[in-house]
């Protein structure tokens, strides 16, 4: 499969501008491309598709890449079929996946990715690239008929992965506990992607990018930490 | 309606034992009752129904109340129909609601509550007492066919309500932002219930208990803080 993916944990790290921390990697992903199709369905903070698109357009414009929002086309499926590259932005994962199904974009997106079209996601857009949305941190503010996601990779992703705060008195579950509970009901590996981290997938090869290690959870055994230099390719062979 | 509910944010507050902070209120709810039916479906940390039941049984035994787990009965519906009182414990809200539907307990629970049977919930067990589970903090580790919950009250609850940490550099959404996003898609009020807080519902009257104010979110307007002494009865008239 000629996959070409950049899966980014968060669009904005503390103290940097929108997409700024990922700029070099985005430029590599989109080398030779002049345009990108933006899918703003996740609507962070409930903003409109057009407002969200304007924000993304501004970032890509400075890199000489013309960005259009999928909602600007009469035929969303055709827009995906003809896109040079696709970017799905963050926001609410349930709202995003529901709209992808409603507009019948799930299969066309899978097909274009199989053909080698560059795909990038941030946060919710990274979460939906995984097997299911079952490891999102988002609130389930709308119902979606299935949690099966785009399945561009055969594992799940937990973006904005957060280590436990030892000083906290809050009794909510830690992220590790939540993912362990996930593995009582699901088999696929989960990659906890800290803010500032990215996964770069080319064909059947995967690489961790960014300053932090990733935390990998298998169905059995203890969570494992992987540095950017370490081999993560076993994740691509997951069932 | 002769509702008699105690909806507790968390089973265990920082530095106190299981159910300890709610002991006086639980005793009032169960006055004159000798037994309670426990529904352990939410399985916190993935523990078994029997292990979870044993934990709850120990707490109620010291108050002279005999507790049985619904899984100990051949006929779960009959167990609900004949229960003196019901307690649904915390854990994962999606796992809980799915099992309630699978075992056809949703309608029997509603019916018994309408008849005046005391109901208590903690965390996930409080969340499912609301209109939908759309304001849970839990990870969607299993799919559930609908987010419609027991609807024992006409609003949603956000248990373990957490105020933003001003020192955090994490870019994930605050609870306020998440609930504002919820209100882009849903009309019902949401009560943010801080740890240590409880809602006591008797008929059409509701009262906040515990040391903290509750944060109430309507579909429009800014969130509002309500102290335990203030009138929250408008919540019971929500559509």
């Amino acid at each position: 499969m000629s996959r070409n993916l950049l899966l980014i944990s968060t669009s904005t790290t503390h103290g940097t501008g929108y997409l700024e921390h990922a700029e070099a990697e985005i430029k590599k992903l989109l080398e030779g491309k002049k345009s990108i199709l933006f899918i703003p369905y996740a609507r962070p903070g409930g903003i409109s598709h057009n407002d969200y698109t304007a924000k993304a357009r501004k970032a890509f414009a400075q890199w000489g890449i013309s960005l259009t929002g999928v909602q600007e086309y009469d035929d969303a499926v055709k827009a995906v079929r003809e896109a040079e590259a696709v970017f799905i932005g963050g926001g609410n994962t349930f709202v995003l996946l529901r709209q992808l199904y409603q507009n019948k974009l799930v299969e066309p997106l899978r097909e274009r990715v199989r053909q080698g079209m560059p795909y990038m996601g941030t946060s919710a857009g990274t979460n939906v690239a995984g097997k299911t949305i079952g490891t999102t941190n988002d609130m389930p503010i709308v119902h979606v008929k299935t949690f099966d996601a785009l399945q561009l990779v055969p594992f799940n992703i937990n973006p904005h992965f957060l280590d436990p705060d030892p000083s906290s008195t809050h009794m909510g579950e830690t992220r590790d506990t939540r993912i362990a509970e996930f593995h009582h009901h699901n088999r696929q590996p989960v990659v906890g992607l800290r803010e500032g981290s990215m996964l770069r997938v080319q064909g059947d090869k995967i690489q961790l990018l960014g300053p932090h290690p990733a935390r990998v959870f298998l169905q059995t055994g203890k969570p494992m930490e992987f540095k950017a230099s370490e081999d993560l390719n076993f994740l691509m062979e997951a069932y």
Side-chain angles (χ1 to χ4, degrees), chain A residues 6-8 21-22 25 193 196-200 207-210:
Chain A
L6 182 63
L7 307 178
I8 307 171
H21 76 285
E25 296 303 330
L193 212 50
S197 293
M198 294 161 261
L199 293 173
R200 181 79 169 100
Q207 205 191 340
L208 174 69
L209 304 169

Side-chain angles (χ1 to χ4, degrees), chain A residues 42-224:
Chain A
R43 301 182 60 201
I47 64 168
S48 73
H49 293 158
N50 287 340
D51 286 352
Y52 195 14
T53 300
K55 180 181 179 176
R57 180 175 287 135
K58 205 173 150 190
F60 282 82
Q62 60 185 339
W63 306 325
I65 291 177
S66 131
L67 179 146
T68 47
V70 68
Q71 79 286 359
E72 297 167 23
Y73 296 84
D74 290 333
D75 184 340
V77 172
K78 191 160 172 268
V80 167
R81 290 224 171 100
E82 297 178 353
E84 274 198 289
V86 162
F87 168 31
I88 301 189
N92 185 282
T93 305
F94 296 87
V95 174
L96 166 58
L97 187 62
R98 189 173 71 154
Q99 193 85 64
L100 288 176
Y101 277 112
Q102 278 176 347
N103 292 4
K104 302 193 179 354
L105 295 188
V106 171
E107 201 38 62
L109 282 166
R110 286 178 182 155
E111 193 186 325
R112 293 307 314 284
V113 165
R114 276 194 297 268
Q115 293 164 350
M117 179 198 70
Y119 173 96
M120 62 174 272
T122 55
S123 192
T126 285
N127 194 277
V128 295
K131 195 166 190 303
T132 77
I133 62 162
T135 50
T136 177
N137 313 305
D138 293 341
M139 204 170 249
I141 62 178
V142 298
H143 187 256
V144 53
K145 62 178 180 177
T146 170
F147 289 165
D148 288 350
L150 295 174
Q151 309 188 330
L152 310 182
V153 291
F155 52 86
N156 267 41
I157 299 168
N158 178 249
H160 302 278
F161 181 79
L162 191 61
D163 294 291
D165 172 3
S167 72
S168 174
T169 59
H170 190 69
M171 303 303 284
E173 298 89 351
T174 65
R175 205 64 70 78
D176 273 29
T177 303
R178 289 167 188 267
I179 295 171
E181 287 183 6
F182 174 83
H183 275 139
H184 277 271
H185 301 273
N186 301 273
R187 296 170 52 162
Q188 67 268 35
V190 178
V191 179
L193 212 50
R194 293 181 174 88
E195 293 186 339
S197 293
M198 294 161 261
L199 293 173
R200 181 79 169 100
V201 179
Q202 290 171 289
D204 289 329
K205 299 288 176 201
I206 189 166
Q207 205 191 340
L208 174 69
L209 304 169
H212 310 296
R215 194 161 175 86
V216 176
F217 303 80
L218 303 182
Q219 195 181 19
T220 54
K222 285 189 196 272
M224 297 172 289

